[in-house]
Amino acid sequence: MSITDNITNLKTELDRVNVTLVAVSKTKPITDLQEAYDAGQRIFGENQVQEMVEKYEQLPKDIEWHLIGHLQTNKVKYIAPFVSMIQSVDSMKLLLEINKQAAKNHRVIDCLLQVYIADEDTKYGLGFDEVIELLRSEEFAQLHNVRIRGLMGIATNTDNEKQIKEEFYELDTFFDGITQSFFRKDDNFDTLSMGMSSDYKIAIEQGSTMVRMGSTIFGGRVYPVPSGVKLQGPGKTDMPDIQDI
Ligand SMILES: *Cc1c(COP(=O)(O)O)cnc(C)c1O
């Protein structure tokens, strides 16, 4: 199916349950993003600063750009003028820098705290206790140019649906607890970003309000192979094939 069909079908499915779609367009060419845009998609997710900046410059200005990958503090300044949401806040140091750069641009930048829920070494994120510590800190109370809109989590990359379900359940429960403890009077703390192409249905069952989907919309990603490396088969993809929905 075409990108247009994929966007149309997904929107219908997600609108019914009031879940927001972030179209994850990392590694994909401008033409693919333009097609999704023409099909009505306005929120795009990227995980690399330079790629996001290049795409921002070439595409319509009513797109909302979400940064979803690990962000180095020295790169915040490049996206601070335009980014809509930073979903991958994983340290107080990073939040301080986002606040500083947002202030320079006379903006308030929406952020999600990325919470570590996976049973893997490779995923970034704060532990449950670290989230609480951050929200309780006096430093945090002084930040006026960031707005914490909610939490983001990535489940373990596994076929074990029960495990994925438990990880999302835990994050949803934690989200409710944090809402009660810290954001009871703040209607803006409303976003629980969990679920990607392989697990979004489970995530929605467990209370997700925002899904980040790439391969279901744009097809599998092929990463460039470093020069000098002999290819045995096709380039490395992180999804075996294009999923039909
Ligand atoms: C790449 C990525 C996604 C989308 O992955 P798909 O499997 O293509 O849907 C979602 N979230 C994050 C943080 C990502 O890096």
Side-chain angles (χ1 to χ4, degrees):
M1 272 195 297
S2 67
I3 291 170
T4 305
D5 291 338
N6 294 338
I7 291 284
T8 308
N9 294 341
L10 263 178
K11 278 224 179 274
T12 309
E13 180 183 350
L14 296 175
D15 281 353
R16 245 185 270 131
V17 283
N18 242 315
V19 170
T20 303
L21 174 63
V22 177
V24 177
S25 47
K26 60 190 185 196
T27 80
K28 295 297 174 182
I30 290 286
T31 48
D32 283 8
L33 281 76
Q34 184 69 51
E35 184 177 344
Y37 179 90
D38 292 339
Q41 182 63 25
R42 290 294 179 273
I43 308 178
F44 290 84
E46 292 283 340
N47 66 343
Q48 302 255 355
V49 164
Q50 193 185 336
E51 190 175 344
M52 180 187 273
V53 171
E54 282 169 12
K55 288 172 172 173
Y56 162 76
E57 284 167 355
Q58 294 176 61
L59 285 161
K61 292 297 169 282
D62 60 340
I63 287 178
E64 295 175 33
W65 294 97
H66 286 211
L67 201 280
I68 60 169
H70 179 65
L71 178 57
Q72 288 171 279
T73 47
N74 61 357
K75 293 192 176 165
V76 175
K77 56 180 177 287
Y78 302 116
I79 58 170
F82 69 90
V83 71
S84 282
M85 185 182 272
I86 297 174
Q87 296 207 7
S88 42
V89 175
D90 56 7
S91 71
M92 189 62 193
K93 182 171 161 241
L94 177 59
L95 196 60
L96 287 168
E97 179 64 15
I98 296 169
N99 187 72
K100 182 175 148 193
Q101 296 299 333
K104 268 194 188 164
N105 287 278
H106 311 287
R107 301 187 65 210
V108 174
I109 295 182
D110 282 346
C111 293
L112 302 180
L113 300 177
Q114 182 174 350
V115 186
Y116 179 88
I117 52 171
D119 184 19
E120 289 170 9
D121 295 337
T122 52
K123 302 262 154 66
Y124 290 98
L126 299 156
F128 293 137
D129 49 341
E130 291 173 312
V131 171
I132 293 167
E133 191 187 328
L134 186 155
L135 294 173
R136 273 198 190 136
S137 68
E138 280 178 27
E139 253 177 329
F140 175 69
Q142 304 306 315
L143 304 183
H144 301 299
N145 294 81
V146 288
R147 184 166 65 165
I148 304 295
R149 295 290 306 272
L151 306 177
M152 186 269 261
I154 305 171
T156 304
N157 184 9
T158 172
D159 292 334
N160 184 342
E161 291 198 4
K162 185 164 165 286
Q163 181 179 352
I164 295 170
K165 185 173 163 178
E166 280 168 8
E167 289 171 0
F168 285 150
Y169 174 82
E170 266 192 40
L171 186 57
D172 180 61
T173 306
F174 184 65
F175 178 71
D176 289 345
I178 291 293
T179 307
Q180 285 304 313
S181 307
F182 294 97
F183 296 96
R184 204 192 300 239
K185 295 192 193 91
D186 182 356
D187 290 341
N188 294 311
F189 191 82
D190 59 1
T191 305
L192 181 56
S193 172
M194 57 183 199
M196 26 208 269
S197 294
S198 56
D199 56 20
Y200 77 99
K201 285 180 199 277
I202 305 173
I204 292 170
E205 278 170 16
Q206 298 306 317
S208 170
T209 71
M210 179 177 276
V211 292
R212 310 173 309 273
M213 299 180 63
S215 43
T216 298
I217 298 169
F218 299 107
R221 287 176 293 275
V222 180
Y223 292 100
V225 178
S227 57
V229 175
K230 258 205 189 147
L231 263 189
Q232 300 291 342
K236 177 185 180 291
T237 65
D238 59 0
M239 289 290 291
D241 33 44
I242 297 168
Q243 289 188 337
D244 268 336
I245 51 165

